[in-house]
Amino acid sequence: KIRHGGALRAIPKAKKVIIVPRKRVCPKHNVKLSESTRKKAVTTITDLVFTKNTIRKTVIKYSGYTGYCCKCKQDYSPKLIDKIRHQHFGHSFKAWIVYQRLFLRLPMEIIKLNLRELFNETISQSSVASILMDFSSFYKYTNTKHLNYILKSPFIHVDETQVNIKGINNYVWIFI
């Protein structure tokens, strides 16, 4: 089988460091974890900061000491670091990609090019697709809540403005 070797991403130097509190209780044994000042858990996230006039890239390093369980003899990373450990990009960075794809209707190759030219970030096409799917599941509850709000509304106005989605014409809905 021929496979791509994957993309190696150099961890950028952080401009901001956030110290996170350690985990206090062992998730397996529900006993108090002892302080471990010898081991640190660290992860780095690249994100975007939106201001009134600009967008700029920022790199944030999350760092915190692990907690040690005497029963299972394991170190446990802080909760926040566990949550974001395998992510490279922050929520605002991902939102910008979703905006490029959904609202500007740009192809993934152009999004990749924009990321490289504007923010000096290289990303694979599959990563762009993965980010879009992640956002879809992240906002699934919100989408369901909005749909229920629409269906409960006593009045739904359907405009004749057409939107083409995957080759099928749809209409814009406005609800009150």
Side-chain angles (χ1 to χ4, degrees):
K1 275 186 171 179
I2 299 174
R3 295 176 42 185
H4 73 84
L8 290 177
R9 184 171 185 271
I11 297 173
K13 186 176 180 184
K15 295 176 182 154
K16 182 178 180 182
V17 177
I18 295 177
I19 307 297
V20 295
R22 68 177 176 82
K23 201 176 268 185
R24 302 275 180 207
V25 178
C26 176
K28 291 181 183 173
H29 300 103
N30 205 26
V31 297
K32 188 176 176 184
L33 297 174
S34 60
E35 268 186 68
S36 173
T37 55
R38 59 186 170 90
K39 274 195 170 181
K40 265 191 168 183
V42 177
T43 191
T44 304
I45 299 288
T46 301
D47 209 354
L48 298 178
V49 176
F50 297 93
T51 64
K52 185 179 177 183
N53 299 316
T54 62
I55 302 172
R56 65 179 164 79
K57 181 174 88 169
T58 186
V59 181
I60 305 166
K61 181 179 184 178
Y62 294 89
S63 176
Y65 287 106
T66 60
Y68 181 74
C69 178
C70 297
K71 274 193 171 183
C72 57
K73 307 225 184 299
Q74 274 193 307
D75 286 306
Y76 290 98
S77 298
K79 198 180 225 178
L80 178 63
I81 290 178
D82 279 343
K83 185 179 176 182
I84 62 173
R85 173 163 282 149
H86 299 292
Q87 297 180 28
H88 299 294
F89 304 109
H91 191 81
S92 296
F93 194 97
K94 293 175 184 179
W96 184 84
I97 290 173
V98 171
Y99 171 76
Q100 296 279 305
R101 181 71 179 140
L102 295 182
F103 296 100
L104 299 182
R105 297 181 182 170
L106 295 177
M108 291 190 199
E109 278 298 319
I110 300 300
I111 294 170
K112 285 173 43 180
L113 184 65
N114 285 346
L115 285 169
R116 195 174 321 117
E117 287 180 359
L118 297 173
F119 305 115
N120 196 24
E121 285 293 331
T122 304
I123 188 170
S124 69
Q125 192 166 328
S126 62
S127 292
V128 173
S130 178
I131 287 169
L132 293 170
M133 288 189 325
D134 288 347
F135 252 63
S136 169
S137 61
F138 184 80
Y139 285 107
K140 189 174 187 168
Y141 173 77
T142 305
N143 186 47
T144 304
K145 196 165 183 154
H146 285 169
L147 180 60
N148 288 335
Y149 183 70
I150 291 169
L151 296 175
K152 287 179 183 175
S153 174
F155 180 105
I156 299 174
H157 174 79
V158 180
D159 195 331
E160 292 185 17
T161 304
Q162 288 190 355
V163 177
N164 189 311
I165 301 171
K166 293 185 179 180
I168 299 169
N169 286 337
N170 293 284
Y171 292 92
V172 175
W173 288 27
I174 300 171
F175 58 94
I176 299 173

